[in-house]
Amino acid sequence: MNIYKSKSKEGQKFLKKIISRQIDMEGDTLFEVKKILDDVRKYKDTAVKKYTKEFDNVYLEDFEVKEREFDFAESKVEDDLKKAMKKAYENIWRFHERQISKGFEIDIEDVKSGSKYLPIEKAGIYVPGGKAAYPSSVLMNAIPAKVAGVKEIIMIAPPSKDGSISNEVLYGARLCNVDRVFKIGGAQGIGALAYGTESVPKVDIITGPGNIYVSMAKKLVYGSVNIDMIAGPSEILILSDGLQNPSYIASDLLAQAEHDELASSILLTLSMTEGKKVSEELKIKVRELPKEDICIKSLENYGAIIVCESEEEMVEIANKIAPEHLEILGFGKGISEKIRNAGCIFLGEYSPEALGDYIAGPNHILPTNGTARFFSPLGTDTFMKRMNYISSTKEGLENLKENIEIFAKKEGLIAHERSITGRF
Amino acid sequence: MNIYKSKSKEGQKFLKKIISRQIDMEGDTLFEVKKILDDVRKYKDTAVKKYTKEFDNVYLEDFEVKEREFDFAESKVEDDLKKAMKKAYENIWRFHERQISKGFEIDIEDVKSGSKYLPIEKAGIYVPGGKAAYPSSVLMNAIPAKVAGVKEIIMIAPPSKDGSISNEVLYGARLCNVDRVFKIGGAQGIGALAYGTESVPKVDIITGPGNIYVSMAKKLVYGSVNIDMIAGPSEILILSDGLQNPSYIASDLLAQAEHDELASSILLTLSMTEGKKVSEELKIKVRELPKEDICIKSLENYGAIIVCESEEEMVEIANKIAPEHLEILGFGKGISEKIRNAGCIFLGEYSPEALGDYIAGPNHILPTNGTARFFSPLGTDTFMKRMNYISSTKEGLENLKENIEIFAKKEGLIAHERSITGRF
C-alpha cells in the first residue's frame, strides 16, 4: 500500500481523490433506471417478471416466499449460526430501543404545542443478493423497524438463478418477524415497493443498501416514498497515535478491503515507522486471504497510509473524509469529541470494525462515501416521523392575534387575517 | 363547493383523486432540470448567470446581497412587522429548542456504545420569490438551523426583474443571523448550493419548499447533499363533529385555498346541515377576498365537503389523506390520538391554521400531498445527524468473539474473522 506524507503532493492528491469521490449517478444509468421504474409503475407484475428474467436470469410466476420455503430454510441453517443470530437480535434490539425519540409539549403564551413521534406504517427493506446476501443485513434493517413499531415489513431480495433466496437470509427474516418476503431485486424491486403491483404492497419507506441501480432507483422514487439514504462504496479510516499494534491495524484495513474493489481503507498515523510496519503486515496477511485479489485492488486504488504531522491535522482530515467507519487507536480521551463527521466511531484497540458489523448492538447500515456529513446511520428514527400539534384557548389566540394579522396583511393573505379576526 | 356523502360514488371518486395525487415528476421536466444541474456543476457561476437571465429576466454579475442592501431593507420594513417578526422569532426559537434530540450510552455485555446528535455544518435554505416571498418562511427555515447549531447558513432566493429581493425577506435573514444571501432561484440555485460555484459555497443540506423545478432539482441532488423533503401542493383537512361554527370552518378553508389554485381544502363533517351552512358561508366570504379567483379554482378542483357516517370513518379518511394541516373541531379528546398521519394538528375552534403559519412556535414547513405518511415537519433534527460509537475492553470483545467468528465465516469474510482472532 502506498505511504504518503500528509503534506506531500502525492498525499494531497490522494486525499483530494477520496474526498471528491462521487457516486456516478450520471446520464445513461439515470435514464435506464427511470425506464425500469416507469415500466413497473405502468405494467406492475408483468414488468417485474420481465426484468427479473433479464437481470436475475430466472422467470418467476410468483415472487412471494412461501411458508414451506421458510421452513426449509430454517431446517438448513446451522445451529451455531442460529445461536449467533439470536444473540445479535437481542443486542441490536437493546441498542435501538434506547434510540426511540420522545415527544414534548410546551406552553407558549397560553398556546399549547408539541411534537409526537409515530411509526411509519409500512416499510420495505432491501437485502442484496448473490455474494453479498448477508443474514446480518436482515437483522440490521428489520429490527429498528420493529422497534419503531412499523405495522408491516415487506422484504425484497434478488433471487438466484434457481429462483431461491439464501437460507440464512430467509431464516433472518423469520427471526425478525418480517411480514412478507418477495424475490425481487434491483430497480424493479424498488419500483414495486414504491408504487405497488398486483402482488407487492406499496410501502411508505424503503431502506437498505444495494448496487448502483438500487441506489439510483431509491433516489428517483424519493418523494413517492421516503428512503433511508443513498449508499455508495464503503470505507474505513483508522487514526493511530503511532504507538499501536501494526498487526491489528493491518487486519482491520483488510477487513474493509475484502468487501469490494471500490472499498477504501486508509490509515492516518503520526509515525512513519508504524506506517512501514503496517505496510509489511499487509503484504503478509493479504496472501492468506481467500479474497486476496479484491483486497489488493481495493488497497491499490483507494487505500493509503498517510503520515500526519499532528493530531489536529488528523482530525481535520477525518472530518473532511467523513468516513463510514472510523477507528481511533491511542490518543487522549478528548480526540473523539472533535470528530464531527463519521458513521460509527470505534474507540480503542479492542473495538475493531467487525465488532460493529454483527453483534455489539449499533447498526451496521451507515452513511458511506462522505455522506456522514449529513446522513445518519440506519436507526429507530429512520422508521418514525414527527407530527406537530397546536391547541389554543380563546385567550391564547387573543394573545397572538395582533401579530398574526400584521404578518398576514403584509404577506397579502387576507383570508388568513379574516380567519383570525372573524373569531373575535 | 361540492358536497358529497362519503360512501357515494362521487365522494369515493373525489377521495381517490386526492389520495392518489402525485407530484408530476415525469419525463421532460426531469431531463430539463438534469441539464440545468449538469450545467451548473460544470460551468458554475457562468451557468447560474445564464439561467438567471433566462428564468428571472435579470442579468447579475454578482449574486451576493451586500451589507448596504440589508441596511436599506431594514430601513424600509415597517415597525409593526419588525415587532411581529421578533415575537415570532422568539416563539419559534422556544419551540425548536425543545426539539433537540439527545444522545444515549448503553452497556451491552461489557461493550459501551451509543448515539450522539451533531449539527450539520453548512445549510442552504431556499426561500421562494415573487408573490410567495414570505418573511415567515425565512424564520421557519433559518431558526431550526440556528437552534441545531449549524455553523454557516446560506440563503438563496430568486431575484425580481430589477435584481432585488423583498425587503422583508432580507430583514428576516438579518434577524435570524443568516450568514450569506444570494439572489439565485430555481434549479440553478439548488445546483449552486449542492455543487458549489466560484461565488456560492457548497452546503451539506438544502431545505425549504419551491416550485416544481426546485423540487425536482432537490430530488436529483439528494445524495450529494441531504434535503428536507419534496414539497407538493399544500392542503387542509377539517374534521367537524357537526356542531361547529360554520363561519370559522369556511374562513379556514378559504385561508388554505387562497395560497394556490392547486391547494386542497376539504371538510369532513358528521352533519349534512353543517355542510350546507359551510357551503353558504363560503359563497359569501369568497366574494370579499382579493384572491377570489384563486380560491374559487382551488375549491372547485380540489375542495369538497364530505358528510361522513362516523368518527371512525373520518379518522380513517384523514389517515389516508395524511394532510399537511388537520383541524379537529369538536369530538372527545381521544380523537387526536387516533391520527397517525398529518403534518400539524390544530385542535379546537381557537386553533386556526393561521395561528401555526406565523407565530405559535411550531414550524409551518410541513409535509404536503400525502407525504406526512413518512416525512416530518421541518425541525431542529432536520439540521442534525446521528453518529454512533462503540468502545470495548478486551473482556467485552472476548464476550462476543465467538459469535462474530461464526457470522464472519458464514458470510465468507475471513479478514473480518481474523481481525478478531488475531487480537487473542
Side-chain angles (χ1 to χ4, degrees):
Chain A
M1 187 143 74
N2 287 315
I3 305 184
Y4 306 117
K5 286 189 180 169
S6 60
K7 297 278 163 70
S8 70
K9 215 169 152 184
E10 296 76 23
Q12 292 286 317
K13 203 177 142 193
F14 174 80
L15 285 172
K16 205 179 157 190
K17 174 175 129 183
I18 292 297
I19 291 165
S20 61
R21 191 146 73 129
Q22 292 256 356
I23 313 165
D24 181 27
M25 286 274 182
E26 297 322 302
D28 294 351
T29 327
L30 181 74
F31 303 139
E32 209 181 319
V33 170
K34 176 94 176 68
K35 168 89 171 68
I36 296 172
L37 292 173
D38 287 347
D39 281 354
V40 172
R41 173 133 66 161
K42 210 163 159 187
Y43 305 110
K44 301 177 192 286
D45 279 348
T46 309
V48 173
K49 284 173 197 170
K50 183 190 139 197
Y51 287 113
T52 302
K53 182 86 193 73
E54 190 174 331
F55 296 123
D56 301 312
N57 291 303
V58 56
Y59 180 82
L60 295 173
E61 191 54 50
D62 182 353
F63 309 106
E64 187 160 9
V65 176
K66 298 292 176 304
E67 220 40 36
R68 57 179 159 71
E69 294 175 90
F70 286 111
D71 291 340
F72 178 79
E74 187 163 353
S75 77
K76 289 289 173 191
V77 176
E78 287 152 34
D79 283 342
D80 61 347
L81 183 64
K82 278 184 184 160
K83 209 186 99 247
M85 285 172 75
K86 281 176 188 163
K87 173 50 84 182
Y89 180 93
E90 206 179 285
N91 291 354
I92 298 167
W93 188 283
R94 282 182 65 191
F95 182 86
H96 287 85
E97 211 173 29
R98 285 291 305 276
Q99 222 174 40
I100 295 178
S101 293
K102 305 222 168 26
F104 68 90
E105 185 164 287
I106 185 173
D107 194 304
I108 299 176
E109 304 187 48
D110 298 323
V111 176
K112 271 206 192 75
S113 60
S115 290
K116 279 167 119 174
Y117 290 84
L118 294 167
I120 291 174
E121 277 183 60
K122 286 190 187 187
I125 64 181
Y126 188 88
V127 175
K131 278 178 278 176
Y134 300 144
S136 56
S137 301
V138 181
L139 273 60
M140 293 292 181
N141 247 312
I143 295 170
K146 277 282 164 188
V147 170
V150 168
K151 270 198 201 154
E152 191 173 7
I153 303 178
I154 313 293
M155 186 178 117
I156 63 167
S160 310
K161 275 185 219 169
D162 65 358
S164 72
I165 291 182
S166 115
N167 293 326
E168 289 74 23
V169 165
L170 287 187
Y171 173 71
R174 181 174 263 189
L175 181 66
C176 297
N177 292 304
V178 166
D179 295 280
R180 299 174 73 181
V181 179
F182 292 89
K183 302 168 192 170
I184 315 176
Q188 63 277 16
I190 301 300
L193 289 172
Y195 308 127
T197 70
E198 295 88 349
S199 57
V200 184
K202 176 174 167 40
V203 301
D204 301 311
I205 181 168
I206 302 175
T207 66
N211 63 18
I212 178 76
Y213 284 82
V214 170
S215 292
M216 186 81 84
K218 281 171 72 180
K219 178 166 166 158
L220 285 171
V221 300
Y222 176 77
S224 296
V225 296
N226 199 354
I227 64 172
D228 54 342
M229 62 180 104
I230 302 280
S234 169
E235 72 265 318
I236 191 169
L237 179 69
I238 301 180
L239 309 189
S240 164
D241 61 4
L243 308 168
Q244 302 300 312
N245 188 326
S247 162
Y248 295 3
I249 297 177
S251 69
D252 294 354
L253 292 170
L254 287 167
Q256 183 63 44
E258 75 174 336
H259 271 300
D260 186 351
E261 290 169 12
L262 293 173
S264 166
S265 307
I266 301 172
L267 166 66
L268 305 185
T269 173
L270 289 177
S271 150
M272 178 59 87
T273 314
E274 187 184 73
K276 285 181 180 161
K277 280 189 200 154
V278 170
S279 177
E280 289 311 309
E281 286 281 345
L282 282 169
K283 277 180 206 152
I284 301 162
K285 285 185 194 300
V286 75
R287 284 193 217 113
E288 299 159 5
L289 292 173
K291 300 196 175 182
E292 185 185 353
D293 292 350
I294 294 178
C295 289
I296 289 174
K297 280 193 190 138
S298 156
L299 294 180
E300 266 176 14
N301 291 318
Y302 301 106
I305 293 166
I306 297 176
V307 182
C308 294
E309 292 175 4
S310 67
E311 186 181 315
E312 288 64 40
E313 191 192 11
M314 278 182 170
V315 167
E316 200 190 309
I317 295 172
N319 281 325
K320 272 192 191 147
I321 293 181
E324 182 187 11
H325 307 97
L326 177 69
E327 283 187 15
I328 301 182
L329 304 171
F331 303 100
K333 239 205 142 183
I335 186 170
S336 71
E337 299 300 316
K338 297 178 201 155
I339 300 300
R340 297 185 311 270
N341 302 323
C344 189
I345 300 181
F346 298 79
L347 278 162
E349 61 179 342
Y350 290 106
S351 309
E353 188 200 311
L355 172 61
D357 284 343
Y358 300 115
I359 204 159
N363 214 289
H364 80 191
I365 301 175
L366 299 168
T368 56
N369 204 29
T371 61
R373 287 180 292 120
F374 47 77
F375 285 149
S376 300
L378 195 79
T380 314
D381 52 5
T382 310
F383 296 97
M384 304 188 86
K385 73 225 165 155
R386 201 167 16 82
M387 185 167 83
N388 291 339
Y389 63 89
I390 297 175
S391 174
S392 179
T393 56
K394 188 168 185 180
E395 291 66 39
L397 186 60
E398 201 153 22
N399 290 340
L400 300 173
K401 180 174 175 289
E402 197 193 323
N403 285 322
I404 300 172
E405 288 163 33
I406 293 168
F407 263 109
K409 260 194 269 182
K410 188 69 215 178
E411 295 189 348
L413 298 172
I414 303 309
H416 280 61
E417 187 204 354
R418 303 246 164 106
S419 75
I420 305 295
T421 51
R423 278 168 158 95
F424 292 92
Chain B
M1 187 143 72
N2 287 316
I3 305 184
Y4 306 117
K5 286 190 180 168
S6 60
K7 297 278 164 68
S8 70
K9 215 170 153 182
E10 297 75 21
Q12 291 287 319
K13 202 177 143 193
F14 174 80
L15 286 172
K16 205 181 157 189
K17 173 176 131 184
I18 292 296
I19 290 165
S20 61
R21 190 145 73 128
Q22 291 259 356
I23 313 167
D24 180 26
M25 287 271 183
E26 296 323 303
D28 293 351
T29 327
L30 181 74
F31 302 139
E32 210 181 320
V33 170
K34 176 95 176 71
K35 167 90 172 69
I36 296 171
L37 292 173
D38 287 346
D39 282 353
V40 172
R41 174 133 66 162
K42 211 163 158 186
Y43 304 110
K44 303 177 190 286
D45 279 348
T46 310
V48 174
K49 285 172 196 170
K50 183 191 138 194
Y51 286 114
T52 302
K53 182 84 193 76
E54 191 174 330
F55 296 123
D56 300 312
N57 291 304
V58 56
Y59 180 81
L60 295 173
E61 191 53 52
D62 183 351
F63 309 107
E64 187 160 9
V65 176
K66 298 294 177 302
E67 220 40 37
R68 59 179 159 69
E69 294 176 89
F70 285 111
D71 291 341
F72 177 80
E74 186 163 352
S75 76
K76 290 289 174 189
V77 176
E78 287 152 32
D79 283 342
D80 61 346
L81 183 64
K82 278 184 184 160
K83 207 186 100 248
M85 284 172 76
K86 281 176 188 161
K87 174 50 86 183
Y89 181 92
E90 205 179 285
N91 291 354
I92 298 168
W93 188 282
R94 281 181 67 191
F95 182 85
H96 286 85
E97 212 172 27
R98 285 291 305 276
Q99 222 175 40
I100 295 179
S101 293
K102 299 210 175 35
F104 68 90
E105 184 165 288
I106 186 173
D107 193 305
I108 299 175
E109 303 189 50
D110 299 323
V111 176
K112 271 206 190 73
S113 60
S115 291
K116 278 166 117 174
Y117 290 85
L118 294 167
I120 292 174
E121 279 184 57
K122 287 189 185 186
I125 64 180
Y126 189 91
V127 174
K131 279 177 277 178
Y134 300 145
S136 56
S137 301
V138 181
L139 273 59
M140 294 292 182
N141 248 310
I143 296 170
K146 277 281 166 190
V147 170
V150 168
K151 270 197 202 158
E152 193 173 6
I153 304 179
I154 313 292
M155 186 179 117
I156 63 168
S160 309
K161 274 186 220 169
D162 65 358
S164 72
I165 291 181
S166 114
N167 293 325
E168 289 72 24
V169 165
L170 287 187
Y171 173 71
R174 182 174 261 189
L175 181 66
C176 297
N177 293 304
V178 166
D179 295 280
R180 300 174 73 181
V181 179
F182 293 89
K183 301 167 191 171
I184 314 175
Q188 63 275 17
I190 301 301
L193 289 172
Y195 308 127
T197 70
E198 295 89 347
S199 57
V200 184
K202 176 174 167 41
V203 301
D204 302 310
I205 181 167
I206 301 174
T207 65
N211 63 18
I212 177 75
Y213 283 83
V214 170
S215 293
M216 185 79 85
K218 281 171 72 181
K219 178 165 166 159
L220 284 172
V221 300
Y222 178 77
S224 296
V225 296
N226 199 354
I227 64 172
D228 55 341
M229 61 180 104
I230 303 280
S234 168
E235 72 265 317
I236 192 169
L237 179 70
I238 301 180
L239 309 190
S240 165
D241 62 3
L243 308 167
Q244 302 300 312
N245 187 325
S247 162
Y248 296 2
I249 296 177
S251 70
D252 294 353
L253 291 170
L254 287 167
Q256 183 63 44
E258 75 173 337
H259 271 300
D260 186 353
E261 289 170 11
L262 293 172
S264 166
S265 307
I266 301 171
L267 165 66
L268 305 186
T269 173
L270 289 177
S271 150
M272 177 60 87
T273 315
E274 186 183 73
K276 285 180 180 161
K277 280 189 198 155
V278 169
S279 178
E280 288 312 309
E281 286 281 346
L282 281 170
K283 277 180 208 152
I284 301 163
K285 285 184 194 298
V286 75
R287 285 191 216 113
E288 301 159 2
L289 291 174
K291 300 197 174 180
E292 183 184 355
D293 292 350
I294 294 178
C295 289
I296 289 174
K297 280 193 190 138
S298 157
L299 293 180
E300 266 176 12
N301 291 318
Y302 301 106
I305 294 166
I306 298 177
V307 182
C308 294
E309 292 174 5
S310 67
E311 185 182 315
E312 287 65 41
E313 191 193 10
M314 279 184 171
V315 167
E316 200 190 310
I317 295 173
N319 282 325
K320 272 193 191 149
I321 293 181
E324 182 187 10
H325 307 97
L326 178 69
E327 284 187 14
I328 302 182
L329 304 170
F331 303 100
K333 238 206 145 184
I335 186 171
S336 73
E337 299 300 316
K338 297 179 202 156
I339 300 300
R340 296 185 312 269
N341 303 324
C344 188
I345 301 181
F346 298 79
L347 278 163
E349 60 178 344
Y350 290 106
S351 309
E353 187 200 311
L355 172 62
D357 283 343
Y358 300 116
I359 205 159
N363 214 289
H364 80 192
I365 301 175
L366 299 168
T368 55
N369 203 28
T371 60
R373 286 180 291 120
F374 46 78
F375 285 148
S376 299
L378 196 78
T380 314
D381 52 5
T382 309
F383 296 97
M384 303 186 87
K385 74 227 163 153
R386 201 165 18 81
M387 185 166 83
N388 291 340
Y389 63 91
I390 298 175
S391 174
S392 178
T393 56
K394 188 168 185 179
E395 291 66 39
L397 186 60
E398 200 154 21
N399 288 341
L400 300 172
K401 181 175 176 288
E402 198 192 324
N403 285 322
I404 300 173
E405 288 163 32
I406 292 168
F407 263 108
K409 259 193 272 184
K410 189 68 216 176
E411 296 189 349
L413 298 172
I414 301 311
H416 281 61
E417 187 204 355
R418 302 245 165 110
S419 75
I420 306 295
T421 50
R423 278 167 156 95
F424 292 92

